[in-house]
Amino acid sequence: MINIAICDDDKEIIDALKEAISLYSQEHSVEYDVHSFRCGEKLLETKINFDLIFLDIEMTGIDGLTTAQMFRQIDKKARIVYVTNHSECALKSYSVHPFDFVVKPFKSERIFSVLDELSHYLSENAEKEAVIQLKGEDGPLLLSLKSIYVFEYTGNRRITVYTKDDKFRIKGGLSDILHLSTQKALFLPIRAL
């Protein structure tokens, strides 16, 4: 699931972006969870990690550039696409590292282009995702570091590894996991029973 935020004080723009994202989702079989905010303050209050944010530069209350600067203190990974009526605002936006820039009014194809770029970017980074090799009970086990939640020592030199979707039994002790953590900068929760 790809999380997208739309932050704009114009409901018609929010609706147009949602419609374009929905069309793209249907055509490309990609699932998006879209959240909309009518002001920067509401976006900053959320606890959701977004993959992409469509952010209006000129809004009532906190403007988009200030919102982006404050958001970057919370989340440096979200890709920000500035949406504005004035193309001359593009230069100012580069201090907050935009992913793209969309000028209003826009056509759905322009949003499709942004979503194509996002898909390409996410798939490229997924290929670079770090994995760890562990001694599984039935042989070598490769797991994505991002998917591991906790290592639980269950006695007799056996550890249960809990991931997002499953759990695995591996051979070894907590000292083996701690040794891996110093080699690979792996800092994950470890608990003993």
Side-chain angles (χ1 to χ4, degrees), residues 83-103:
V83 183
T84 187
N85 290 317
H86 308 288
S87 58
E88 63 272 5
C89 292
L91 204 51
K92 292 180 189 175
S93 72
Y94 281 97
S95 66
V96 196
H97 312 291
F99 184 72
D100 207 335
F101 196 87
V102 174
V103 178

Side-chain angles (χ1 to χ4, degrees), residues 12-32:
E12 288 182 22
I13 295 297
I14 290 174
D15 291 344
L17 284 165
K18 281 183 173 181
E19 184 178 335
I21 293 166
S22 177
L23 287 170
Y24 186 90
S25 174
Q26 292 168 15
E27 289 178 15
H28 294 85
S29 300
V30 179
E31 286 188 52
Y32 296 103

Side-chain angles (χ1 to χ4, degrees), residues 18 27-28 34 78 83 91 93 125 140 145-146 148 174 177 192:
K18 281 183 173 181
E27 289 178 15
H28 294 85
V34 181
V83 183
L91 204 51
S93 72
N125 285 335
L145 287 178
K146 283 183 173 181
I148 299 173
L174 291 178
I177 300 301

Side-chain angles (χ1 to χ4, degrees), residues 143-182:
L143 295 174
S144 160
L145 287 178
K146 283 183 173 181
S147 71
I148 299 173
Y149 283 133
V150 69
F151 293 97
E152 180 180 46
Y153 184 74
T154 53
N156 203 23
R157 295 204 37 87
R158 293 292 183 263
I159 295 173
T160 302
V161 182
Y162 293 89
T163 66
K164 290 178 183 176
D165 303 315
D166 212 343
K167 64 181 180 179
F168 303 91
R169 304 254 312 156
I170 62 170
K171 299 175 185 176
L174 291 178
S175 60
D176 298 324
I177 300 301
L178 290 172
H179 178 71
L180 278 173
S181 72
T182 58

Side-chain angles (χ1 to χ4, degrees), residues 12-185:
E12 288 182 22
I13 295 297
I14 290 174
D15 291 344
L17 284 165
K18 281 183 173 181
E19 184 178 335
I21 293 166
S22 177
L23 287 170
Y24 186 90
S25 174
Q26 292 168 15
E27 289 178 15
H28 294 85
S29 300
V30 179
E31 286 188 52
Y32 296 103
D33 192 7
V34 181
H35 304 262
S36 58
F37 306 90
R38 297 288 298 271
C39 64
E41 292 88 347
K42 293 293 184 191
L43 174 64
L44 293 169
E45 288 174 6
T46 188
K47 303 291 184 217
I48 300 169
N49 291 324
F50 293 108
D51 297 295
L52 184 69
I53 300 170
F54 287 99
L55 182 59
D56 185 17
I57 290 181
E58 296 178 289
M59 293 186 291
T60 53
I62 300 176
D63 68 35
L65 293 176
T66 305
T67 299
Q69 289 167 345
M70 294 170 77
F71 194 84
R72 281 284 181 241
Q73 294 173 11
I74 302 165
D75 183 351
K76 295 190 181 346
K77 294 182 180 179
R79 279 136 311 268
I80 298 174
V81 176
Y82 292 104
V83 183
T84 187
N85 290 317
H86 308 288
S87 58
E88 63 272 5
C89 292
L91 204 51
K92 292 180 189 175
S93 72
Y94 281 97
S95 66
V96 196
H97 312 291
F99 184 72
D100 207 335
F101 196 87
V102 174
V103 178
K104 300 175 190 176
F106 54 82
K107 296 185 186 240
S108 292
E109 291 77 19
R110 178 67 183 104
I111 305 307
F112 293 175
S113 165
V114 171
L115 296 173
D116 281 340
E117 186 69 21
L118 176 68
S119 295
H120 177 73
Y121 182 85
L122 291 175
S123 67
E124 226 176 54
N125 285 335
E127 292 170 9
K128 297 176 187 174
E129 186 176 307
V131 294
I132 187 170
Q133 182 172 349
L134 301 168
K135 295 177 188 174
E137 289 188 325
D138 300 322
L141 180 65
L142 287 174
L143 295 174
S144 160
L145 287 178
K146 283 183 173 181
S147 71
I148 299 173
Y149 283 133
V150 69
F151 293 97
E152 180 180 46
Y153 184 74
T154 53
N156 203 23
R157 295 204 37 87
R158 293 292 183 263
I159 295 173
T160 302
V161 182
Y162 293 89
T163 66
K164 290 178 183 176
D165 303 315
D166 212 343
K167 64 181 180 179
F168 303 91
R169 304 254 312 156
I170 62 170
K171 299 175 185 176
L174 291 178
S175 60
D176 298 324
I177 300 301
L178 290 172
H179 178 71
L180 278 173
S181 72
T182 58
Q183 289 180 333
K184 306 239 183 207

